[in-house]
Amino acid sequence: MSETMRAIRLTGPADLEGLTVSDVPIPDTRPGWVRIRVKAFGVNESEVTSRQGESGPDFSFPRILGIEGVGEVDAVGEGVDLAPGQKVATMMGGLGRNIDGSYAEYIVVDAANVIPFDTDLGWDIVGALPEMLQTAHGSINTGLGLQTGQSVLVHGGTSTVGLTAIAIAHDLGATVIATTRNPAKSDLLKSVGADHALRDDETLPEAIRAIAPEGVDAALELVGATALPDVLSLIRPGGTVCFVGALSGAWTVPDFDPFNIPTGVRLTSYAGEASDLPARALDQYLNAIESGAFKVVIAEVFEGLDMVADAHRGLESRREPGKYVVLLPAP
């Protein structure tokens, strides 16, 4: 086995042309950790932020980016109960932020952040799943505790997490109200499970109240923190809003007043960890995807590390809804 691998390792902030491939040492395993031969990974907004040098203090250069990946176990450290060749997914746990990430042929991660699975789905499909599935599953189940028969608003429905959350909530048996700023994407929202696809403009509150006069049971906020006051006003007493992301870049509410939260309405957030997506849940989703009951929206698949810059370019342009995936060729 060669002592080096191909990877994209940044030593500082970089533009798209800085996403170049070089040879770096293959990382060693350690007790409790797993080395994975990467087969595919999704590209995420946080990786664009990190590339541009605008991440928080938990990120540092030099770094191989990539907060998620799927592949096969290559080697294990002492105390790890996984066999070489096992298909696995990993995400979070500092991956691509304070430890080297998935823009590489191999990664070494804590076994606590590794989820084994078995499926006949292609790596291009499985590679789209870890981060958006973990976030959507965790926010629906842990953040909201959504129940069958309840109603849920997905504010920011055409994001990757939004599309996945719509599918999960629909599969759960909830009534799903999803928003988009582009009416041309309404059919996309309905195709993944939205019962109502609404335009996100000044007419939104009235449209939601026409559907749920007493208020919606729950809401996922993906657009931004500054939208929270309006969304909170649409929730019934006893209902919950979960803040998950900020597509607009607004992570805080200026001059926040807790008394702006309507009486009896709950506000929480979800960041989550890999452990929030148990292996049994991942298997259920994979089976549903295989049967066609659960739709994954993939914007584009790129082959090889040399195409990562193009994947970033597609993500930043938002030219297509869904996940941008990089597929690595077999050795």
Side-chain angles (χ1 to χ4, degrees):
M1 180 176 177
S2 172
E3 295 182 353
T4 63
M5 66 177 183
R6 301 180 80 237
I8 297 176
R9 184 177 183 270
L10 300 182
T11 57
D15 56 19
L16 289 172
E17 285 66 35
L19 291 169
T20 57
V21 181
S22 62
D23 290 331
V24 302
I26 293 176
D28 293 325
T29 55
R30 66 184 93 167
W33 287 53
V34 180
R35 185 166 67 207
I36 301 169
R37 172 80 192 197
V38 179
K39 296 293 187 178
F41 55 84
V43 175
N44 297 277
E45 295 279 0
S46 66
E47 294 152 11
V48 174
T49 302
S50 296
R51 169 175 63 79
Q52 295 170 340
E54 299 173 357
S55 283
D58 65 324
F59 176 84
S60 61
F61 291 111
R63 183 64 60 224
I64 297 173
L65 301 181
I67 65 171
E68 64 176 323
V70 296
E72 295 176 346
V73 173
D74 178 71
V76 298
E78 182 182 352
V80 176
D81 187 22
L82 286 169
Q86 169 69 60
K87 293 180 179 180
V88 292
T90 188
M91 79 290 285
M92 309 297 285
L95 188 66
R97 301 189 67 77
N98 55 39
I99 62 173
D100 281 336
S102 58
Y103 290 15
E105 293 178 319
Y106 295 91
I107 51 176
V108 172
V109 297
D110 190 328
N113 296 318
V114 175
I115 309 170
F117 65 87
D118 290 298
T119 184
D120 292 327
L121 292 168
W123 290 113
D124 54 340
I125 297 174
V126 181
L129 300 177
E131 179 63 17
M132 69 181 189
L133 192 55
Q134 176 264 324
T135 304
H137 174 86
S139 60
I140 288 285
N141 291 278
T142 303
L144 292 179
L146 191 67
Q147 301 296 313
T148 300
Q150 290 188 319
S151 58
V152 60
L153 167 66
V154 181
H155 190 217
T158 55
S159 64
T160 56
V161 173
L163 291 167
T164 309
I166 291 167
I168 291 173
H170 172 78
D171 189 59
L172 185 63
T175 298
V176 185
I177 306 167
T179 71
T180 176
R181 294 179 180 177
N182 183 354
K185 294 181 179 179
S186 295
D187 287 344
L188 172 64
L189 297 179
K190 291 181 179 179
S191 74
V192 296
D195 298 284
H196 306 276
L198 304 181
R199 186 167 182 170
D200 190 4
D201 58 16
E202 68 278 359
T203 67
L204 181 62
E206 182 179 353
I208 291 176
R209 291 190 181 99
I211 297 167
E214 304 301 318
V216 181
D217 294 307
L220 290 184
E221 179 50 57
L222 298 164
V223 174
T226 52
L228 283 171
D230 288 339
V231 171
L232 284 162
S233 71
L234 300 170
I235 308 301
R236 66 164 177 81
T240 303
V241 174
C242 181
F243 179 74
V244 185
L247 297 167
S248 67
W251 292 94
T252 60
V253 182
D255 302 320
F256 174 69
D257 181 356
F259 285 104
N260 286 335
I261 303 174
T263 299
V265 175
R266 301 176 177 88
L267 173 62
T268 187
S269 64
Y270 178 81
E273 298 293 341
S275 58
D276 290 333
L277 181 64
R280 65 180 182 278
L282 177 57
D283 282 339
Q284 289 172 353
Y285 289 125
L286 292 172
N287 290 336
I289 295 168
E290 287 181 341
S291 71
F294 190 100
K295 183 176 180 180
V296 179
V297 182
I298 297 176
E300 195 168 351
V301 177
F302 299 85
E303 294 193 14
L305 288 170
D306 296 298
M307 300 299 290
V308 167
D310 287 333
H312 272 239
R313 187 175 290 110
L315 177 64
E316 289 184 87
S317 70
R318 303 185 190 276
R319 61 176 178 247
E320 295 289 342
K323 194 79 173 189
Y324 287 85
V325 180
V326 176
L327 184 67
L328 300 194

